[in-house]
Amino acid sequence: MRVLLLGADGFIGRRVTDRLLMDQELQVTVLGRRDSADIRFDLTTGSPGALARFLDAVAPQVVINCAGATYGSSRTLIRSNTLAVATVCEAIRRSREPARLVHVGSAAEYGPVPGGVPVSEQAEPRPVGPYGVSKLAGTELVLASGLDAAVLRVFDVVGPGAPTASLFGRLAEGLRRALERDENQVRMPDLSGYRDFVDVRDVARAIQAAAVSAATGVINVGSGHAVRARDAAQLLVRASGFEGAIVEENRQVLLPAQVGGQGGDHLPGHHLPGHRVEERRPEGRPAPGEPVPWRQADVRTARDRLGWRTQVPLEESLGDVWLETACRV
């Protein structure tokens, strides 16, 4: 099977590349902006006609779109997550043999959901902020394209390679710095929210499964468990050996699904000896509410239609984050 991969240099895209290249049944071509790509093309500025000519030359049976932006101005997010998707869909439609499209969406498209309840693909999306809005617009373009297409709505991705701007990338760097300088505290935003963390390697497996399946429409990709970010952070602290305090500042933490955010097992909320979390807030003032305090995926569709389940426990995923950070020169 010939596969054209977009966004191979990103957090998720790198793991998808590794996964696809291990499959001898797949012939993988990478399209992107960097010199390492087989085909140099910028989805945010290139035309659908030009991309269609590349598609005709490669003749892929499947196009996997991992490209996009998680941070940046509203203009950057719209160009990367919406305009680029429109270009991809139109190019596939114009190509001689339209390929199947597997597009990576985001749980941020759902926006606020009822606490304590897994969110299914049938939930009405109500995103908050430019990121979620731009991702939802991209998803709607895919669903309305008339193509043979699946959108994997990925929840909060964790694991090795996590960007330093992400929640656990930032925490890992803070822990490393504190250990190097013999400091006794690391400052983080408020960690009271619950998220569905799923390892990036499990996400790559889901994308590969979708590429070779006939499943269409929106499919949630998550662990199926909600874990308090504070408890997940303590797993990373324990892996690092740091014995100081994680001091939560009186401001919200934003956890975009693509970088902050995924591990397989439910995280028990027990106390970890030798570590403590302090919450510094003005006395008498309630903790600020997160725009999305709860996020948990209903993953039955991925299980039933892709035959996919998570394999990497959250503790292992965060341990690998620390191992990579500690070994970085």
Side-chain angles (χ1 to χ4, degrees), residues 15-316:
R15 293 296 175 179
V16 173
T17 303
D18 294 341
R19 187 83 195 174
L20 297 180
L21 291 177
M22 288 191 300
D23 189 338
Q24 297 184 354
E25 299 297 319
L26 302 179
Q27 179 182 324
V28 182
T29 301
V30 172
L31 182 145
R33 290 180 292 185
R34 299 194 180 183
D35 292 337
S36 57
D38 300 310
I39 300 172
R40 291 285 302 278
F41 190 86
D42 189 337
L43 293 172
T44 64
T45 59
S47 70
L51 181 57
R53 289 191 288 275
F54 284 125
L55 290 173
D56 287 339
V58 176
Q61 291 151 294
V62 179
V63 174
I64 298 175
N65 184 26
C66 297
T70 308
Y71 298 104
S73 66
S74 296
R75 184 173 186 269
T76 295
L77 294 170
I78 292 170
R79 288 173 65 87
S80 300
N81 299 332
T82 307
L83 177 61
V85 177
T87 297
V88 171
C89 291
E90 181 61 22
I92 294 176
R93 279 198 298 263
R94 293 187 189 185
S95 63
R96 285 194 295 266
E97 297 182 15
R100 171 173 170 78
L101 174 60
V102 176
H103 175 69
V104 177
S106 169
E109 297 170 33
Y110 286 120
V113 296
V117 179
V119 60
S120 75
E121 293 87 353
Q122 285 70 47
E124 184 70 24
R126 301 181 186 278
V128 290
Y131 172 71
V133 170
S134 67
K135 290 296 293 184
L136 177 60
T139 289
E140 294 295 341
L141 285 169
V142 172
L143 298 178
S145 67
L147 299 172
D148 173 13
V151 176
L152 301 191
R153 203 163 261 166
V154 178
F155 279 64
D156 299 79
V157 190
V158 298
T164 55
S166 69
L167 176 67
F168 294 117
R170 171 181 172 176
L171 177 56
E173 288 296 332
L175 291 168
R176 176 181 175 179
R177 187 165 53 249
L179 290 168
E180 288 175 346
R181 299 176 183 178
D182 198 26
E183 297 173 346
N184 62 4
Q185 65 177 227
V186 174
R187 305 186 71 84
M188 290 293 290
D190 176 74
L191 299 172
S192 61
Y194 286 81
R195 291 293 182 269
D196 187 326
F197 299 110
V198 57
D199 188 87
V200 66
R201 293 158 291 193
D202 281 329
V203 174
R205 288 178 41 251
I207 292 170
Q208 181 186 28
V212 300
S213 78
T216 59
V218 175
I219 302 173
N220 286 341
V221 174
S223 71
H225 301 291
V227 176
R228 191 185 288 269
R230 184 178 299 137
D231 295 333
Q234 288 291 8
L235 290 177
L236 184 52
V237 171
R238 183 168 63 182
S240 73
F242 178 67
E243 296 184 351
I246 305 300
V247 179
E248 297 182 37
E249 299 172 350
N250 185 21
R251 58 190 179 89
Q252 298 164 0
V253 58
L254 299 180
L255 299 176
Q258 292 306 99
V259 297
Q262 301 174 16
D265 294 342
H266 180 70
L267 178 68
H270 61 273
H271 173 68
L272 299 178
H275 307 116
R276 66 186 188 279
V277 173
E278 298 177 2
E279 300 181 54
R280 291 190 174 180
R281 300 190 176 98
E283 192 162 341
R285 183 180 301 176
E290 288 186 281
V292 184
W294 171 275
R295 193 148 63 204
Q296 178 183 352
D298 182 333
V299 294
R300 288 175 294 179
T301 301
R303 180 192 63 202
D304 297 341
R305 300 179 67 186
L306 301 182
W308 174 88
R309 300 174 187 269
T310 56
Q311 294 181 354
V312 184
L314 182 55
E315 186 170 8
E316 178 182 340

